Amino acid sequence: MAEPYIEQVEYLDVLTKTGKKTGVSKPRGDVHRDGDYHKAVHVWIFAESTQELLLQKRADCKDSWPGLWDISSAGHISAGDSSLITAQRELQEELGVILPKDAFELIFVFLEECVTNNGKFINNEYSDVYLVTTLEPIPREAFTLQDTEVSDVKYISFGEYRSHLAEADPKYVPYDVNKQYGLLFDIITKRYRENNEARSLVLQKQLRRYAPVSLTAELTGLGDADKEALILLVRAAMIMDEIFYLQVWHSNPVLREWLKEHANVSQLDNLKWMYYVINKSPWSCLDENEAFLTTADSAVKLLPEATKPITGWKGVQYRAAFPMLKPSGANLYPPDMDKMEFKLWTTGLSLDKQKDATSFFTVIKRHSQVNWDNHIFDSTHLSEGSTHDLYSIPYSQEYHPFLTRVSDLLHKAGDLVSSPSLKRLLHSKADAFLSNDYYDSDIAWMELDSKLDVTIGPYETYEDSLFGYKATFEAFIGVRDEKATAQLKLFSDNLQVLEQNLPMDDTYKSKDIIAAPIRVVQLLFNAGDVKGPQTIAFNLPNDERIVKDRGTAMVILKNVSEAKFKQILNPIADACIAKEQHELVDFESFFTHTICHECCHGIGPHTITLPDGRKSTVRLELQDLHSALEEAKADIVGLWALNFLIKKHLLPTSLEKSMYVSFLAGCFRSVRFGLEEAHGKGQALQFNWLLEKEAFVFHPNETFSVNFDKVEEAVESLSRTILTIQAKGDKEGASLLLQKYCTMTKPLKVALQKLESIHVPVDIAPIFPVAKSLLE
C-alpha cells in the first residue's frame, strides 16, 4: 500500500521589528496570521545590452497576485536557511537557472508591511534584494519554468517597467517606486548613465590624495646569499597579496585581473586600475569604504551549464558581483551571516570548537554553500556529524594552494640566509603556514636579530569589522637600521615601569610585563593587507597567549615615517597650526611618539578577569570596537608615557611641548583616513575629547593650538577612561564613548576642508624600486 502523502510545513525564522533574529521559528501560515516579521529574497535578472529586467508571470493558482507580472524570482527564507542559498535555490526551482554565489549582488534590504485577504494575511517581510547582471538576455527557451509558481517570463525595459509600477498598472504586482523600492531603478540608472568624463575627474581627485614616494634601503650589509634569499622573500610576500585579495571578497581576485587586463582600454579604465591598486578592493579606504566601482565594472564570466542547452547560444555571461556596501565580515564569514546566527552556533559548541570559531586563523563557512557549489542542491544536507550549517576551517586548509607555495619559498630562503635567527624564523614560519599553528614562528619573529628584517603571515584583524577575530595576511620586508635600533632600548627597558604607573586602578595592572624588542627598519617591500593609508609601525603579535607569555615586539618603518612627515605633516602644520606653535612640529617628536604608540600596545589590559570571575581578553569582549579603542589607547597612553619619561629625566625636555603640538598636527593626518578606519576613528575620539577639555584650542582664524596648562590633565583623563573600559571588558562603555566622540565635528570639518582645498596629500603610495630591480 502506498505511503500517505504528508505535506511538509515550512517554518520561518521570526525576527524582531528591526530585522534581527529572535531564535524562534514558526510555521509559515502562523507567521502571516500573527504578523510576525520574517525574511525573504527578491532576485532580479538584468540584461546590460538591452537595459531590460526579467519578469515572471505568477501562476494562476498562486494565493497572492495570481496571473500578474512580478520579480524575476522570489521566495521566503526557511528557518535555518541562508539568504544567498535561498536566492540561488529559488532561481533554480522557479526558472531553471543555476548560478554561483558570485553572480548575486545584494543591493538593498526591502521592508514590506501590508495586510491583504481581509486582514487574514499580514505580511511583515524583510527581503534581501539581489541583482544578477548578465551581458545579454537569456533566451526564452533556455528557461525551465516551475508551473506551480510561474506561467511565463519576459524581458522589459527597466524604465518602462518603472512607469507601469508608478501608474499602478493592474497587470503588475505593485511596488511603490517612490519609496524604498525605487532604489532598484535608481541604482541601475546611476550605474549605466553616469558620465565617463565626470567619473574620471572624481577618480583623479581621489588619486591625488596619495603622494607617490619611492622607498629605498641600502643592501651593502647583505651578502650574495642573503640577496638571493631576498628575491625569494619578495616573491613569497607577493603571494600574501593573492591571499588578501581573496580574504576581502570572493570575487575580488577576478575583479583585479579584469581591471588589470583592461587598464589600457581608456583613460577611465586606467584610473580605475590605478585606484584599485591602492585600495586592493572596489571600496575606497579614505571615503568610509564607499564603492568607487560597481558590478558593471567587473569581470565577465561565461557559464554554459547555467540553463538547459540551446543550439547556437553559448550560455549565460554574467558579471562577477560585489555589493556596494563593504561586507563587515569580508570573505572571512558567509556574507549573509549575522551576529545572532554566529552566537547561536557557537553557544552550542564545545570549548575547543568555540576557540576554533573565534580563532585568528580560521574561516567560517556554510555546509549548504559548499554543497551548492559542489552541485548538491539540497540545503538540508550537512556534512557527517554536523548539526548546524556553519563550520570553521583552518587557514592552512582554506588557502592551501597559496600557502604551500609560500612555505616552499621560505624554506629555500631559510637555507640561504646567514643569520641563525632569520633562518629559524623562515623555517618555522614555513611550517606554520601548513600546520596553522603560529605560536613558535611568532616567538621566532620576536627574537629576530638580523640585518634582513621579515614580517610575514596573518596578523591584523581590521578587515573583520563584524567581530575583529580574523587575521589577514601581510608582509613587510626591510633592512635593519642598526644605529636607530640601538637608540631605542630606553623604551623597551621601561615598559614595566610604565605599566605600574598607568592611570588606572592598580588591580588591573600586570606585574609581569616583558621588555618589548624594538627594531627600526628601512622598508624595501610590503604586500597583503597594506591597502590605502600606509602603516608607519606595528606591534605584534596580536595573539594574547604570546602577549601574556612573552610580550610583543615592535617594528618602526623609518623611511615611511620620514616620507609621511615631509609629504603630509609639514604641510598640515603650515595650514592648521597657529603660527606661534609652528616650530614645535618636528620629526623627532613625531617619530618618538610613533615608537611610544607601538610600545603602549604592549601595556595595559589584554587578558582580563570579568566581573563574574571569567577569564577573557579585551579583544573578545569588545569585538568590533576593539581595534578603534586599542588604537586610541596606544596613541593617548603614548602621549602620557612620553610625559612620564620626560619627568623621570629619561627623555629630553625639548619634547615637552613639541610632542603635543606634533600630535595635534598628526590628528588631522589620521582623521583623514576616514571614521570607518580604526586609526581614523580612534584619532577622532582623542581630538574631540581634548578639544572638549580645552586642551586643544580652535581659533577664529581657523587654526589650532595646544593649551599647555590643560593638555596633561586631559591626556591622563582619557587614558584612564579607555584603560578602565578595556580592563572591565565593557563593550557598552566603549560603544558610548565612541558614539559621543567619534564624530566629524565642525572644527575637524574646517581643518579637513582646508587641507583638501590646498591639495595636501592624505597619505603616500609607496613605490619599491629596489624590490623591482631584484625581481628583474
Side-chain angles (χ1 to χ4, degrees):
M1 190 171 73
E3 292 286 335
Y5 173 71
I6 301 174
E7 183 179 1
Q8 285 193 323
V9 176
E10 182 183 16
Y11 277 73
L12 304 180
D13 285 320
V14 175
L15 309 180
T16 65
K17 193 171 183 177
T18 57
K20 306 297 182 186
K21 285 184 178 178
T22 62
V24 175
S25 62
K26 291 168 63 174
R28 174 176 169 174
D30 293 357
V31 164
H32 285 295
R33 179 197 68 202
D34 301 337
D36 293 312
Y37 286 82
H38 58 283
K39 287 208 76 170
V41 295
H42 293 179
V43 182
W44 294 94
I45 296 180
F46 176 73
E48 275 190 346
S49 62
T50 59
Q51 298 284 285
E52 292 178 316
L53 286 165
L54 178 75
L55 302 185
Q56 64 159 266
K57 192 172 188 180
R58 296 172 67 83
D60 290 334
C61 60
K62 294 290 289 181
D63 56 0
S64 60
W65 314 114
L68 301 192
W69 291 101
D70 198 7
I71 301 162
S72 308
S73 176
H76 286 102
I77 301 176
S78 298
D81 278 1
S82 76
S83 169
L84 186 54
I85 283 293
T86 301
Q88 291 176 280
R89 187 175 60 239
E90 291 295 333
L91 206 55
Q92 182 217 6
E93 291 177 353
E94 293 185 355
L95 304 182
V97 179
I98 302 170
L99 292 173
K101 66 181 179 181
D102 69 347
F104 293 79
E105 176 188 357
L106 179 64
I107 52 174
F108 61 91
V109 178
F110 170 62
L111 172 59
E112 182 179 27
E113 295 172 301
C114 66
V115 180
T116 57
N117 293 356
N118 296 318
K120 296 177 182 176
F121 189 90
I122 307 171
N123 195 37
N124 292 322
E125 188 170 88
Y126 280 94
S127 294
D128 289 341
V129 182
Y130 291 95
L131 186 65
V132 172
T133 303
T134 64
L135 260 58
E136 306 285 343
I138 299 170
R140 171 64 180 80
E141 57 271 28
F143 294 103
T144 303
L145 305 184
Q146 184 181 18
D147 55 12
T148 57
E149 297 284 336
V150 184
S151 62
D152 199 3
V153 292
K154 72 173 182 180
Y155 276 96
I156 183 173
S157 156
F158 80 93
E160 181 185 345
Y161 177 49
R162 191 189 190 288
S163 297
H164 285 306
L165 294 179
E167 294 163 5
D169 188 320
K171 295 190 291 294
Y172 295 84
V173 174
Y175 295 98
D176 191 341
V177 294
N178 295 313
K179 292 186 178 178
Q180 192 183 8
Y181 225 94
L183 277 173
L184 170 68
F185 303 95
D186 294 343
I187 288 166
I188 294 172
T189 300
K190 183 180 178 184
R191 188 168 289 185
Y192 291 96
R193 297 183 183 174
E194 191 168 19
N195 181 283
N196 283 352
E197 185 177 342
R199 195 172 173 200
S200 294
L201 289 172
V202 170
L203 283 167
Q204 286 170 347
K205 185 179 177 182
Q206 290 174 312
L207 279 162
R208 278 200 302 268
R209 295 178 296 181
Y210 291 90
V213 174
S214 286
L215 297 178
T216 60
E218 290 292 330
L219 302 184
T220 48
L222 300 179
D224 290 341
D226 286 334
K227 289 178 182 177
E228 190 178 340
L230 183 55
I231 296 170
L232 299 175
L233 292 171
V234 171
R235 287 179 179 159
M238 292 169 75
I239 300 172
M240 297 296 101
D241 261 341
E242 295 180 51
I243 302 175
F244 179 67
Y245 289 125
L246 186 57
Q247 288 187 298
V248 171
W249 185 246
H250 53 76
S251 64
N252 198 32
V254 295
L255 171 65
R256 180 186 182 277
E257 291 308 310
W258 179 268
L259 294 173
K260 184 179 180 181
E261 185 182 328
H262 291 78
N264 295 322
V265 171
S266 69
Q267 182 198 27
L268 177 58
D269 287 306
N270 186 249
L271 291 168
K272 289 180 199 174
W273 168 241
M274 289 170 65
Y275 200 51
Y276 176 90
V277 167
I278 288 173
N279 291 281
K280 299 196 173 189
S281 82
W283 300 287
S284 175
C285 299
L286 293 180
D287 298 294
E288 315 291 335
N289 288 320
E290 181 182 344
F292 63 92
L293 300 172
T294 73
T295 294
D297 300 307
S298 192
V300 174
K301 299 178 79 173
L302 172 65
L303 200 63
E305 65 274 19
T307 66
K308 62 185 177 186
I310 302 297
T311 303
W313 183 60
K314 57 186 177 183
V316 174
Q317 286 183 285
Y318 69 92
R319 295 275 186 188
F322 54 85
M324 291 179 293
L325 291 176
K326 189 175 189 290
S328 57
N331 192 29
L332 303 165
Y333 305 86
D336 50 6
M337 185 203 82
D338 60 21
K339 287 188 173 184
M340 177 58 78
E341 183 181 5
F342 186 84
K343 182 180 178 181
L344 290 172
W345 169 53
T346 53
T347 301
L349 297 176
S350 65
L351 192 59
D352 284 348
K353 292 290 185 183
Q354 284 182 10
K355 286 181 178 178
D356 285 343
T358 59
S359 164
F360 286 110
F361 314 124
T362 60
V363 177
I364 307 303
K365 306 191 89 167
R366 290 193 185 281
H367 291 291
S368 58
Q369 189 66 61
V370 172
N371 292 337
W372 183 278
D373 294 343
N374 293 328
H375 304 290
I376 304 171
F377 303 128
D378 175 7
S379 66
T380 63
H381 177 83
L382 301 178
S383 298
E384 188 175 346
S386 299
T387 57
H388 199 284
D389 197 22
L390 297 177
Y391 70 103
S392 63
I393 182 169
Y395 281 2
S396 55
Q397 186 176 336
E398 178 71 2
Y399 307 119
H400 187 261
F402 303 105
L403 294 177
T404 51
R405 289 159 53 205
V406 179
S407 179
D408 183 55
L409 287 166
L410 293 189
H411 275 310
K412 287 177 179 176
D415 290 340
L416 289 169
V417 296
S418 55
S419 162
S421 65
L422 180 56
K423 191 180 289 287
R424 177 188 165 211
L425 168 64
L426 297 178
H427 285 305
S428 62
K429 188 66 74 173
D431 292 339
F433 281 135
L434 301 186
S435 69
N436 217 52
D437 183 353
Y438 288 89
Y439 190 94
D440 289 342
S441 68
D442 281 342
I443 296 294
W445 177 82
M446 293 179 65
E447 295 175 350
L448 180 62
D449 184 14
S450 164
K451 182 72 176 174
L452 200 54
D453 201 278
V454 180
T455 302
I456 186 168
Y459 285 109
E460 303 293 3
T461 61
Y462 302 126
E463 204 64 27
D464 175 8
S465 57
L466 191 65
F467 291 111
Y469 294 155
K470 307 302 175 188
T472 47
F473 285 82
E474 62 186 10
F476 295 87
I477 313 295
V479 175
R480 177 91 62 96
D481 185 326
E482 302 288 3
K483 183 180 177 183
T485 297
Q487 293 171 341
L488 300 182
K489 195 169 182 294
L490 159 75
F491 293 96
S492 59
D493 286 351
N494 282 279
L495 278 188
Q496 185 65 64
V497 176
L498 291 172
E499 173 77 18
Q500 291 311 306
N501 287 277
L502 282 173
M504 67 175 177
D505 193 293
D506 287 346
T507 57
Y508 301 134
K509 294 175 183 177
S510 174
K511 294 180 173 57
D512 52 2
I513 294 292
I514 299 157
I518 306 174
R519 311 195 292 262
V520 180
V521 170
Q522 304 288 358
L523 185 66
L524 278 173
F525 188 73
N526 67 11
D529 190 359
V530 292
K531 62 186 175 66
Q534 297 295 295
T535 187
I536 52 181
F538 46 88
N539 181 291
L540 298 172
N542 288 321
D543 187 332
E544 284 87 358
R545 298 173 304 163
I546 299 176
V547 174
K548 183 180 178 182
D549 294 346
R550 301 291 298 270
T552 58
M554 282 154 265
V555 173
I556 315 291
L557 305 175
K558 191 171 185 182
N559 53 351
V560 178
S561 298
E562 289 169 336
K564 290 201 182 202
F565 185 82
K566 180 180 177 182
Q567 297 281 343
I568 302 161
L569 211 67
N570 263 338
I572 285 176
D574 291 340
C576 295
I577 302 301
K579 192 173 182 180
E580 64 272 15
Q581 293 189 357
H582 266 192
E583 63 183 25
L584 293 173
V585 179
D586 60 44
F587 179 70
E588 182 188 6
S589 301
F590 173 68
F591 189 61
T592 306
H593 179 257
T594 298
I595 295 161
C596 219
H597 169 108
E598 296 306 326
C599 285
C600 289
H601 278 305
I603 60 176
H606 288 279
T607 300
I608 58 176
T609 303
L610 299 175
D612 62 5
R614 286 185 298 117
K615 293 286 186 184
S616 187
T617 66
V618 178
R619 183 184 301 275
L620 279 174
E621 295 307 314
L622 299 192
Q623 297 181 347
D624 52 311
L625 305 182
H626 172 263
S627 292
L629 209 65
E630 176 61 22
E631 290 304 326
K633 178 209 85 174
D635 250 355
I636 203 71
V637 174
L639 267 187
W640 169 87
L642 287 178
N643 186 52
F644 178 86
L645 293 171
I646 291 168
K647 288 184 174 181
K648 293 292 183 183
H649 309 293
L650 295 170
L651 283 175
T653 55
S654 60
L655 292 171
E656 205 163 21
K657 291 185 176 180
S658 62
M659 67 179 185
Y660 291 122
V661 184
S662 297
F663 176 80
L664 170 58
C667 285
F668 304 121
R669 180 184 72 85
S670 297
V671 169
R672 295 174 85 202
F673 298 159
L675 299 191
E676 288 298 312
E677 195 269 347
H679 298 80
K681 193 179 288 186
Q683 199 73 71
L685 158 61
Q686 296 166 81
F687 175 87
N688 289 323
W689 178 286
L690 295 173
L691 190 72
E692 179 186 87
K693 306 300 180 190
E694 300 178 355
F696 289 165
V697 181
F698 182 42
H699 299 288
N701 67 350
E702 299 185 344
T703 63
F704 297 80
S705 65
V706 175
N707 181 341
F708 297 113
D709 293 332
K710 295 190 176 183
V711 70
E712 183 179 332
E713 183 182 343
V715 165
E716 184 166 321
S717 66
L718 179 55
S719 298
R720 181 179 295 106
T721 298
I722 294 175
L723 289 165
T724 304
I725 285 172
Q726 290 185 320
K728 292 180 177 180
D730 181 7
K731 188 175 183 185
E732 183 181 356
S735 179
L736 291 171
L737 185 69
L738 289 167
Q739 282 175 25
K740 181 176 180 181
Y741 292 100
C742 181
T743 59
M744 193 60 71
T745 53
K746 183 183 175 182
L748 277 178
K749 286 180 183 175
V750 168
L752 268 54
Q753 286 166 1
K754 184 188 290 190
L755 296 175
E756 186 176 349
S757 68
I758 60 175
H759 304 304
V760 175
V762 177
D763 211 75
I764 63 169
I767 301 164
F768 300 109
V770 175
K772 184 179 179 183
S773 65
L774 283 170
L775 293 175
E776 289 172 350

